[in-house]
Amino acid sequence: MFSDNNRISTRQVFRLFVFDFIGMSTLVLPGVLAQMTGCDGLFAILLGGGMSSIYLWYLARAMKEMDGDLTGYMKKSLPVWLYFFLYVLLIVHCIIEAGYGAYVFADVMKKSLVGEEAYTLILVLILLVTAYAIRSGIESRARVYEVLFWLLFVPLLIMFVIAANDVNFTYMGPFFVHSVSSVADGGFEVFCYLTPLFLVLFFPAYTKRKSRQQMIAAVFAALWFAVLVLLVMYVILLGNFGDRALGTMQYPAVILMSNIHLRGGFVKRLDAFMIAIWFFTLFALVGVFLFYAEKILYQLFPGRENEKVSEKQKGGMDWKKWGTLGGVLVLTFLVAEWFYHGNLTEWYIAYMRWLGVPFLVFFPMLILVVGKAKRKRTVVNGIVLVLCFAGTMQLTGCGATELEDRCFPMMAAVDKDNTQILFSYGFPELSQKDNTDLAEAKVSAAMGTGANFPEALHKYEEQLSKAADCNHMKVLVVGQKLAEDEAHFTELLSYLREKELYPRNTYVCFTDTADDLYAIEKNLPQDLGSYIEAYLQNHETEKQIRLLNLGILLDEQLNQRQVLQFPYLTMQNQAIVWESNYVIDHGEPAGRIIIE
């Protein structure tokens, strides 16, 4: 039997803070650090961890002086006008943090899974589920995290191992090229994203008095666990993308998940499965700041929190509770909408640097100077009853278009004919998948042509009777004439990077002309895209070459550090032959070489 006494163990404290730290730091920070400090971002992460450790020591000393939790000390020890003013500042900070977290959460969902849904609808659903979740006790939240901890971080470890195989050591460097001030600036940025440490001041109300030191030790362990995960993530991201490409990415961890290519096809949307880690952690972060914003706002108004008779016993409803919760939800919604429509991530970074962090640093010192430490417990109400339900609800990979209104290209081919760009998709016959009638499943369109790639793509997709869903794309085939046209080839890669049309783990190969490949499709046992994928994988060892994907090609166009070789396919006697490779030398096409 579980007790219901608003008390949690130090192990549960550790896992609560791990979830609060991991989400935003691993999702957003790598791209920011790569832009600021490149490979020296590794030192910035360690510096940020050190700064956070000092801050935790400072909070522990403040907690010892308070001899209790933050809100109880403030209300009992400070003048009414001062605690009212500081409460308002705390509420504003919590709403900004919750709003930014909700913005990132909804934005990741929209870009990764449900791109056709309206951002506002996604945001509203997230906030409504969060509102429902924070009505339960902290014990429920802690128990859920105990269950989720290994279920989420063991798969993450496995993905790290898989992604480590693709680390390119050419990208690991140079080091010590940025100034000390730049690294210090990056370290401060890491510290900004680890400021949920401040919430430890609320935890004396939830832990036994004699276990306070163990609680601080648990938070310290959670901090360095998160720093270690961030370090490993940053090394893998650098090795996969390079610092230049990494610096252009908004959510590189999500892109990394989509870059992993598992053989056999038993997991079709691995990225959708793996970003559940960030769904849970971002949901936890939004929930915890909403909870404290509502809790503090509730305590600003006199009355019912001190009543001994519960609302259930009275048979009524705590309208003040629902009113304060509704108020913080509306404000959080407005902040998240403001971040999204104004693209104000830079504003959030500036706020944390110049207002948020100084406030969190000097705030404990201020209240200790003004008041005396006296112990007072506060009543805690609800947090995160249904994290499992919420995370599972978000794991949907389909947008607004119904399945029967979609077609699923397995291959894309782009080429050039004189001055025109040519484009087409290769589709599977659905009878191969589910025994449906071929006439019903048929998707056909003439080759799309245009003065540039976007125009050719648009003209082709206009002819389709169904919306193209490219999440299962196997191969991108590029004609040699297009590759040798530097302007159009650069335009193609830039457009694919910006629009994220195709999965990054899509194989890339080159050919004389895609028409020759399409000519044999009717004689194949499967669609052309799946056939080429299997053909490349079966001959990879024989050709002594590692198959490269679209993500690597896009990154190298920016990094310009490697010589890459992609399969060059030709036709002989109505069969596909791989006898040469096409070379991309430091981001520039360099022609064919014969495989010896």
Side-chain angles (χ1 to χ4, degrees), residues 37 56 98 123 286 349 356 398 420 501 529 546:
T37 59
L56 178 60
L123 177 61
V286 173
I349 294 174
C398 297
Q420 292 290 300
L501 291 179
R546 182 172 71 94

Side-chain angles (χ1 to χ4, degrees), residues 327-367:
V328 297
L329 284 174
V330 170
L331 291 174
T332 302
F333 170 81
L334 294 176
V335 170
E337 282 281 327
W338 184 54
F339 275 123
Y340 179 74
H341 293 290
N343 195 20
L344 296 173
T345 298
E346 294 296 327
W347 183 93
Y348 172 79
I349 294 174
Y351 161 76
M352 289 300 296
R353 283 175 170 269
W354 302 109
L355 292 176
V357 170
F359 169 69
L360 296 179
V361 169
F362 290 107
F363 171 73
M365 184 185 303
L366 174 63
I367 63 174

Side-chain angles (χ1 to χ4, degrees), residues 48 74 104 172 247 250 299 370 448 500 533 551 559 590:
M74 289 175 62
V104 172
M172 299 303 295
Q250 187 177 13
Q299 292 182 357
V370 174
E500 299 179 352
E533 178 193 44
N559 294 313

Side-chain angles (χ1 to χ4, degrees), residues 184-256:
D185 201 32
F188 186 75
E189 194 68 34
V190 174
F191 174 61
C192 289
Y193 279 85
L194 294 175
T195 50
L197 273 172
F198 176 75
L199 300 176
V200 74
L201 293 178
F202 294 94
F203 271 70
Y206 313 135
T207 57
K208 295 179 180 180
R209 182 180 179 84
K210 62 182 181 180
S211 63
R212 298 284 165 79
Q213 290 299 320
Q214 291 90 333
M215 181 189 72
I216 296 298
V219 177
F220 180 80
L223 167 66
W224 280 98
F225 179 87
V227 170
L228 177 61
V229 171
L230 179 58
L231 273 172
V232 174
M233 175 73 78
Y234 196 70
V235 169
I236 291 175
L237 290 171
L238 280 176
N240 275 265
F241 304 132
D243 58 336
R244 293 182 184 177
L246 182 58
T248 66
M249 298 176 183
Q250 187 177 13
Y251 307 123
V254 175
I255 296 175
L256 176 68

